[in-house]
């Protein structure tokens, strides 16, 4: 028969054999990579387990602290509301308590203002009599 046909069949057989070897090598490499990826995933899971546990603890403590802070804020709000209400009561009660005393203080303040005005008049009249020329110089007319 044709000798060149046997050569082509030999080349085809060798190519199929090379492809089969490459496929086997690829499968072995893929299995090795999958095993390594599984080991890395297990290691990451083991490393992250304490972190996740700590995060859960921190979250629960933060929720507890938030609850306590909210309760303290409500308490402080009630305290300030009570203090404000009491201050308003005291401020409304003061004029009633100081009514007569307040009138006395007003009378004394009036006397004090009158005395201050009299002293100022005495000072200004004595000052005017001593220096009439200065005043005339300031007059524009």
């Amino acid at each position: 028969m044709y000798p060149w046909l046997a050569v082509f069949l030999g080349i085809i057989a060798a190519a199929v054999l090379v492809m089969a070897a490459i496929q086997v090598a690829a499968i072995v490499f893929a299995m090795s990579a999958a095993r390594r990826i599984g080991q890395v995933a297990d290691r990451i899971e083991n490393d992250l387990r304490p972190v996740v546990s700590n995060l859960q603890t921190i979250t629960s403590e933060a929720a507890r602290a938030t609850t306590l802070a909210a309760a303290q804020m409500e308490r402080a709000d009630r305290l300030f509301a009570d203090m404000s209400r009491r201050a308003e009561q005291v401020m409304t009660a003061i004029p009633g308590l100081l009514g007569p005393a307040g009138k006395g203080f007003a009378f004394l303040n009036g006397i004090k203002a009158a005395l201050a005005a009299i002293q100022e008049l005495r000072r200004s009249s004595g000052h005017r009599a001593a220096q009439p020329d200065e005043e005339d110089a300031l007059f524009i007319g």
Side-chain angles (χ1 to χ4, degrees):
M1 274 216 247
Y2 302 107
W4 53 272
L5 189 61
V7 172
F8 284 132
L9 287 175
I11 292 174
I12 291 172
V16 167
L17 200 63
V18 168
M19 285 175 39
I22 290 173
Q23 287 178 352
V24 168
I27 290 171
V28 169
F29 177 75
M31 288 175 56
S32 172
R35 192 176 328 115
R36 280 193 215 135
I37 289 172
Q39 290 171 350
V40 169
D42 289 340
R43 201 172 19 200
I44 289 173
E45 183 180 336
N46 289 336
D47 290 345
L48 288 181
R49 189 170 289 133
V51 173
V52 170
S53 175
N54 287 341
L55 285 176
Q56 288 173 343
T57 303
I58 289 170
T59 303
S60 65
E61 289 295 320
R64 182 175 165 268
T66 302
T67 303
L68 289 175
Q72 290 296 331
M73 289 302 294
E74 287 176 16
R75 226 192 245 163
D77 187 39
R78 281 193 306 257
L79 174 72
F80 286 122
D82 289 344
M83 286 176 55
S84 174
R85 186 172 26 87
R86 288 180 184 165
E88 285 179 22
Q89 289 172 350
V90 167
M91 294 304 279
T92 56
I94 285 176
L97 294 173
L98 294 180
K103 290 177 186 174
F105 286 130
F107 178 72
L108 290 177
N109 284 335
I111 292 174
K112 185 176 170 184
L115 291 174
I118 291 171
Q119 285 178 347
E120 184 64 31
L121 283 174
R122 281 186 186 168
R123 270 192 238 137
S124 65
S125 66
H127 186 65
R128 252 191 243 158
Q131 299 174 356
D133 293 334
E134 277 185 30
E135 240 178 63
D136 291 337
L138 295 175
F139 180 72
I140 300 174

